[in-house]
Amino acid sequence: MFAATQQVYRVTKPKGYQHVKVFTEELPKHLEKHEVLVKINAVTLNYRDIAVANGTYPAPTIDQVIPGSDAAGKIVKVGSQVKDFKVGDRVVNLFDPTNIYGPKMAVDSSHGSSIQGVLSQYKVFSDHEILKLPSDSHLTDAEAAALVCAGCTAWNCLFGSAERFIAGQTVLFLGTGGVSITGLILAKAAGAVTIITSSSDDKLKYVKEKYGVDHCVNYHTHPDWEKEVIKATNGEGVDFVVENGGSGTIAKSLASVKQGGTISLVGFLSQATEIPDITILTMVKGATIRGIQVGSKQLFEELLRFVHAKKLRMPIEFEYGFSEEQVHSAYKRLESQTLAGKIVINVD
Ligand SMILES: NC(=O)c1ccc[n+]([C@@H]2O[C@H](COP(=O)([O-])OP(=O)(O)OC[C@H]3O[C@@H](n4cnc5c(N)ncnc54)[C@H](OP(=O)(O)O)[C@@H]3O)[C@@H](O)[C@H]2O)c1
């Protein structure tokens, strides 16, 4: 049995994580035919959760939003017409329940910004917006949750377009955040030569030792880091760039990519000091630039199969509890950018 009330976090005002507060709220008494009630066990955080808390997220966000896009948990109740799930199944949610297959058509609909998120003890989902983990899954709840946003995004960068990654190709990751490290693990398992950039030699050393990245470039000590990337690839450039930096790094990413290579626009961590001439740079490289919005349900299913088949472990670096103090510590750690990987909040 479960309680009639639950604890739920809300962004009470978008002026910093200190305003992410816990509330006691009623659990729904009734499930619609195709709904399930999930006891959430783990929520992983992403850079966007800081942006939502700070009011800087560049997409619609509802007032008093429940933050968080990534949850893993167990089904505790199912609606009368739910066929594919049963009580006890371990599940993860989709980042965007409207993104099922193919090019995204719907307006933005993502948990923790334009629709209510997952930082709560329980959540009602429609049965189309969750995926089941295999009964013999090796993943912890934290690792499974980490796949929802960072994992699916990285998978989309490699396998989401016609220019799909082929074993032996080279992939460049900008920074050592959640998308990069999760992507690095996936890319290596798929047979990539990998290059990562960072502001910190300590982080690079850590990533080399722990994840076996092939080449490291410090973008502070090498402001012209694209030249180091070109050197590392014997003058050719990389096949894929996972572009987390945004307007401040795109010109250098275009300089780093090989003729005909692919750049996936993922992040907005940096600002350009002057606007680069993207049109000419893209044209002369014959490059493909793709905008990424995490990924579809179909891509997420592929990712879960791959991770299960390869028994991959996900990069959970710091674990926190569900009290307000612990949740604020988790946000503080995320904002400090002093980790190479993911942060999880374990939900009581
Ligand atoms: N479009 C999408 O679908 C999608 C999905 C997920 C994430 N995102 C976006 O992608 C970006 C990364 O997200 P995340 O969750 O992985 O972030 P994260 O875990 O918070 O990681 C941030 C890391 O990025 C690195 N970084 C900071 N400024 C940088 C810069 N100017 N150039 C290169 N690296 C820089 C830092 O690592 P170092 O100290 O090692 O440099 C920092 O630790 C964010 O902008 C996020 O909003 C977009």
Side-chain angles (χ1 to χ4, degrees):
M1 276 309 290
F2 40 93
T5 59
Q6 64 158 332
Q7 292 200 309
V8 174
Y9 279 85
R10 289 184 184 271
V11 180
T12 57
K13 41 181 161 169
K15 292 189 180 305
Y17 64 78
Q18 298 82 352
H19 301 284
V20 176
K21 305 254 190 217
V22 70
F23 296 88
T24 299
E25 298 186 4
E26 281 199 359
L27 272 173
K29 293 191 178 63
H30 170 76
L31 290 180
E32 298 296 332
K33 286 188 292 199
H34 284 283
E35 288 181 340
V36 301
L37 181 65
V38 174
K39 164 70 190 77
I40 293 177
N41 292 329
V43 172
T44 46
L45 294 183
N46 298 286
Y47 180 83
R48 72 188 287 272
D49 297 311
I50 288 289
V52 166
N54 288 339
T56 56
Y57 190 56
T61 301
I62 51 179
D63 278 348
Q64 304 288 314
V65 70
I66 300 172
S69 57
D70 312 354
K74 209 173 244 189
I75 293 185
V76 291
K77 198 174 173 186
V78 295
S80 60
Q81 294 297 310
V82 172
K83 302 278 184 261
D84 294 337
F85 299 94
K86 61 181 186 319
V87 169
D89 284 345
R90 292 181 69 206
V91 294
V92 284
N93 65 287
L94 305 188
F95 178 86
D96 171 356
T98 65
N99 191 357
I100 304 298
Y101 178 82
K104 186 173 152 47
M105 302 298 283
V107 292
D108 178 63
S109 171
S110 45
H111 289 290
S113 54
S114 59
I115 59 172
Q116 297 296 4
V118 296
L119 193 54
S120 54
Q121 290 176 305
Y122 293 88
K123 183 161 174 74
V124 174
F125 291 102
S126 286
D127 57 1
H128 76 273
E129 59 174 321
I130 51 171
L131 289 174
K132 202 182 325 190
L133 296 176
S135 55
D136 60 343
S137 175
H138 65 290
L139 294 172
T140 63
D141 288 313
E143 289 173 300
L147 293 168
V148 173
C149 177
C152 196
T153 298
W155 186 260
N156 191 356
C157 294
L158 298 175
F159 296 107
S161 75
E163 310 288 336
R164 280 170 78 96
F165 169 81
I166 298 168
Q169 290 184 316
T170 305
V171 186
L172 169 64
F173 298 93
L174 301 194
T176 59
V179 172
S180 284
I181 302 298
T182 310
L184 171 64
I185 292 166
L186 299 173
K188 276 200 77 83
V193 177
T194 50
I195 307 178
I196 201 160
T197 70
S198 178
S199 60
S200 147
D201 281 341
D202 287 345
K203 284 194 197 176
L204 289 173
K205 183 166 178 277
Y206 181 72
V207 174
K208 179 105 187 154
E209 282 169 9
K210 186 157 181 188
Y211 301 109
V213 67
D214 298 291
H215 303 281
C216 296
V217 181
N218 184 320
Y219 60 83
H220 277 174
T221 51
H222 294 285
D224 292 337
W225 51 263
E226 73 283 10
K227 293 186 180 149
E228 301 303 309
V229 173
I230 295 294
K231 253 191 250 167
T233 54
N234 296 322
E236 271 199 358
V238 300
D239 295 279
F240 288 84
V241 183
V242 177
E243 224 307 345
N244 291 313
S247 60
T249 52
I250 181 68
K252 288 178 185 296
S253 290
L254 273 159
S256 303
V257 80
K258 71 157 54 155
Q259 291 297 134
T262 300
I263 298 176
S264 293
L265 296 184
V266 173
F268 48 94
L269 292 163
S270 67
Q271 294 298 322
T273 44
E274 55 191 66
I275 304 297
D277 192 343
I278 304 295
T279 49
I280 295 293
L281 293 170
T282 307
M283 207 188 302
V284 296
K285 275 292 172 79
T288 301
I289 298 189
R290 301 178 61 218
I292 299 284
Q293 288 188 73
V294 185
S296 65
K297 183 176 189 177
Q298 175 226 349
L299 284 172
F300 195 17
E301 281 169 336
E302 279 179 18
L303 167 63
L304 289 180
R305 270 199 302 277
F306 182 76
V307 168
H308 185 66
K310 295 277 189 182
K311 297 284 176 278
L312 300 179
R313 307 259 44 138
M314 290 301 115
I316 304 299
E317 288 284 308
F318 290 98
E319 302 204 28
Y320 293 87
F322 195 61
S323 69
E324 208 170 86
E325 189 192 355
Q326 283 281 298
V327 166
H328 288 180
S329 299
Y331 271 84
K332 188 173 175 191
R333 169 67 74 173
L334 181 68
E335 195 167 46
S336 73
Q337 301 200 340
T338 53
L339 72 154
K342 301 288 302 170
I343 287 173
V344 66
I345 294 169
N346 291 311
V347 183
D348 305 333

